Amino acid sequence: MQKIKKLFKSAESRNGSYSVGMTVLVIAIVVVVNLIAGQIPEKYRNLDVSSTKIYDISETTVELLQNLDSDVTFTVLADKTQADDRIVTFLSKYSALSSKISVEWIDPVLHPSALTDYNASENSIVVKCADTGKSKVVTFNSIIVMNTSAYYYTGSITESEFDGEGQLSSAVNYVTSDVAKTIYQTTGHGETSLSNSVSALMDKNNYDLQELNTVMKPEIPEDCDLLLMNAPAADLTEDEKEAVDAYLRNGGKVMILLGDTNSTELPNIAAIMQEYGMESVDGYIADTQRSYQGNYYCFFPELSVSGDLADGIETQMILLLNTHGMNLAEPERDTISVNSFMTTSSGAYAITEESQSEAGRYTLGAVATEEISSDEDTDAKEDSTAEDSTKSVQKESRLTVISAGSLIEQQITDTFTQLENTTLFMNAVSANFEDVQNLSIEAKSLTPVYNTMQHAGLISLFVIFVLPLGILISGFVVWMKRRKA
């Protein structure tokens, strides 16, 4: 014992004991902190440090989840310990936004009958609402999208997008809503097909998109909630024009996107537009004030959106290319009101091969609405009069015209993903329906974002020449002071 006591009397032994004690204390603190952190809910433990913020959830989804009236169950048919951490993390953050959402994990290896019971494959999420009895399956492959085209260039398949919010919000909206909208896209006039990205957004909003060849049969189906004409190259026939006119006069909804062909070359389409207070301008629009990199025919229009058209519009950056313009005029009926929501700047010109207009502001997107009253037959009771057998119903016809088909061209929307072209387009579609919100949320890119150094030449000059020279000068000054001392 005396020898042991002598060991702790020396300075070395006391310092060593102090070091050991501090080490034990630090380890104990670390263990306790980890135990406490382990009890924190998963939604708070996982921080989004991804470069593209794949776990960020938009206000559109937050509003959807906060307004849920029915319970929704996410049944994940996968082994949670083996599932992709990004999907596990996103599910925990997503479900935490509403008490109406519950998440249940079922390992199909331990419970193989679950795949049959839910009629789904492994690594998928079954979104179900008991109140409506509707369900929808979201696969892991639709959340983490693979770029298969890269295989032809690199020999490997890479991850391109994370679509957790878009897929899940679309599924929740589908299973909790009884509203179904059918959109007919016209064919037979050289229309441009919707790009894959726009079609995917339509599907996310649960729109039933069908084709309609009015050339073969100039009639608008009764279940048509919106008639869409995307960049027609040929004009409507007289029969088609009459069918569209009748559809609008009965409270129908029509949306026209003009392509390279000016509507002045499509007299029947131009006549429909003119009836609702929109007149096309000859030539392509060149905007000298809001051009993209000096290309006057490629420019950023000015937006004046509100209500449904403004949902999700934050930057108001829309890019258009080779577009035509319109001027608003007096509609043919006093019951029609027309308003623009997208224009050029005041420094725009309409350019043709022969002439150039004076500088001015041109309309690029406008909406015309008309309140229509119609009488519908009702089941008359025995003691009711003939007048009581009908009731007046208020409808609103709506004509939306965008004079720039490039708004949803794939070369723009896929190249400049930070722009809001598709958001504005989907808002314009959803604005035709009173009981529908635009929930077509775009996927987030998984492409690595590399830090780029601006003004690298100046920084290189500073590091190579200025900094070493400064060190040499300061060293020389110190040497001189010491020498004099």
Side-chain angles (χ1 to χ4, degrees):
M1 292 296 297
Q2 294 297 327
K3 292 181 178 180
I4 295 175
K5 290 180 180 181
K6 289 181 179 180
L7 289 175
F8 288 96
K9 288 182 179 180
S10 62
E12 293 82 359
S13 61
R14 287 196 300 270
N15 292 336
S17 301
Y18 176 79
S19 300
V20 171
M22 290 301 297
T23 302
V24 172
L25 179 61
V26 170
I27 293 174
I29 292 174
V30 171
V31 172
V32 172
V33 169
N34 277 276
L35 291 174
I36 295 175
Q39 303 303 314
I40 299 175
E42 188 176 16
K43 62 181 179 179
Y44 299 117
R45 296 201 309 265
N46 297 315
L47 301 178
D48 189 357
V49 295
S50 58
S51 58
T52 54
K53 299 296 180 183
I54 62 175
Y55 303 127
D56 277 1
I57 298 177
S58 66
E59 289 297 326
T60 301
T61 293
V62 172
E63 182 180 351
L64 169 69
L65 300 183
Q66 289 179 348
N67 293 331
L68 284 180
D69 296 324
S70 304
D71 292 332
V72 179
T73 303
F74 289 1
T75 303
V76 189
L77 301 176
D79 182 0
K80 187 175 182 179
T81 60
Q82 300 296 324
D84 192 295
D85 289 338
R86 292 166 294 185
I87 295 178
V88 176
T89 300
F90 188 82
L91 279 173
S92 67
K93 289 181 175 293
Y94 193 93
S95 59
L97 295 176
S98 174
S99 59
K100 295 290 186 180
I101 295 181
S102 59
V103 180
E104 176 187 10
W105 289 80
I106 298 179
D107 188 347
V109 176
L110 300 178
H111 306 279
S113 61
L115 300 179
T116 304
D117 295 340
Y118 289 96
N119 191 26
S121 60
E122 187 176 359
N123 293 327
S124 60
I125 305 169
V126 181
V127 182
K128 186 173 183 179
C129 176
D131 292 346
T132 62
K134 297 169 68 175
S135 63
K136 187 173 183 178
V137 178
V138 178
T139 63
F140 285 10
N141 289 336
S142 64
I143 294 178
I144 300 179
V145 182
M146 308 300 292
N147 182 13
T148 55
S149 61
Y151 179 82
Y152 298 99
Y153 302 100
T154 63
S156 61
I157 299 176
T158 58
E159 298 176 348
S160 59
E161 295 177 328
F162 184 86
D163 198 15
E165 181 183 2
Q167 294 293 332
L168 293 180
S169 295
S170 173
V172 170
N173 181 50
Y174 171 76
V175 302
T176 57
S177 175
D178 293 327
V179 178
K181 298 298 181 182
T182 303
I183 299 176
Y184 282 92
Q185 182 182 3
T186 61
T187 60
H189 312 88
E191 290 92 342
T192 301
S193 299
L194 297 177
S195 65
N196 292 333
S197 56
V198 173
S199 297
L201 293 176
M202 289 281 197
D203 184 63
K204 285 182 181 179
N205 234 35
N206 301 309
Y207 294 139
D208 182 11
L209 188 62
Q210 300 186 26
E211 292 186 349
L212 177 65
N213 191 322
T214 53
V215 177
M216 299 175 61
K217 188 177 181 181
E219 295 180 4
I220 311 300
E222 293 183 358
D223 65 339
C224 178
D225 296 304
L226 174 65
L227 183 68
L228 175 64
M229 301 181 66
N230 183 28
D235 198 13
L236 299 175
T237 63
E238 286 295 332
D239 291 339
E240 290 178 291
K241 176 182 176 297
E242 292 178 3
V244 173
D245 274 334
Y247 175 67
L248 281 169
R249 288 175 180 267
N250 195 35
K253 312 290 192 291
V254 177
M255 187 171 180
I256 303 174
L257 281 82
L258 300 177
D260 286 338
T261 304
N262 198 325
S263 68
T264 55
E265 303 172 36
L266 311 173
N268 284 331
I269 292 179
I272 295 174
M273 293 170 52
Q274 189 170 7
E275 180 181 351
Y276 286 84
M278 307 176 203
E279 294 181 346
S280 292
V281 177
D282 286 333
Y284 288 98
I285 299 299
D287 197 324
T288 59
Q289 296 181 7
R290 297 178 61 86
S291 63
Y292 172 70
Q293 295 185 355
N295 182 356
Y296 296 149
Y297 295 98
C298 184
F299 59 89
F300 299 93
E302 295 180 356
L303 300 183
S304 55
V305 292
S306 60
D308 294 336
L309 283 175
D311 286 347
I313 301 293
E314 298 177 355
T315 64
Q316 295 202 355
M317 295 302 291
I318 307 293
L319 185 63
L320 303 179
L321 175 65
N322 296 337
T323 179
H324 299 287
M326 300 182 293
N327 286 323
L328 299 187
E330 286 294 326
E332 292 187 3
R333 296 183 294 277
D334 294 337
T335 53
I336 299 175
S337 62
V338 58
N339 296 285
S340 66
F341 61 86
M342 182 167 59
T343 65
T344 66
S345 71
S346 58
Y349 299 84
I351 310 294
T352 65
E353 292 183 358
E354 296 83 14
S355 63
Q356 171 181 309
S357 68
E358 294 183 1
R361 189 182 303 273
Y362 294 92
T363 297
L364 305 174
V367 176
T369 59
E370 182 178 17
E371 293 294 333
I372 298 173
S373 298
S374 62
D375 294 333
E376 290 188 357
D377 292 334
T378 59
D379 294 333
K381 297 181 180 179
E382 294 181 358
D383 58 347
S384 64
T385 63
E387 288 78 11
D388 295 331
S389 63
T390 61
K391 64 177 182 179
S392 180
V393 177
Q394 292 291 330
K395 297 181 180 179
E396 183 186 69
S397 65
R398 187 180 181 96
L399 174 63
T400 305
V401 179
I402 298 174
S403 62
S406 59
L407 177 72
I408 54 173
E409 282 187 4
Q410 191 165 358
Q411 63 174 344
I412 293 179
T413 59
D414 289 0
T415 304
F416 303 94
T417 55
Q418 73 277 18
L419 298 177
E420 296 178 329
N421 288 40
T422 53
T423 302
L424 179 64
F425 171 75
M426 292 304 301
N427 284 351
V429 172
S430 300
N432 289 279
F433 317 123
E434 294 181 358
D435 48 1
V436 172
Q437 180 185 8
N438 179 19
L439 291 171
S440 50
I441 301 166
E442 296 191 45
K444 296 181 175 66
S445 175
L446 288 176
T447 304
V449 177
Y450 299 100
N451 292 327
T452 57
M453 182 178 295
Q454 297 182 349
H455 313 297
L458 294 177
I459 295 177
S460 298
L461 290 174
F462 177 79
V463 173
I464 297 174
F465 298 104
V466 178
L467 185 60
L469 183 61
I471 294 174
L472 288 174
I473 293 175
S474 61
F476 180 77
V477 171
V478 172
W479 175 74
M480 286 294 295
K481 288 182 178 180
R482 290 181 178 179
R483 183 185 178 191
K484 293 179 179 180

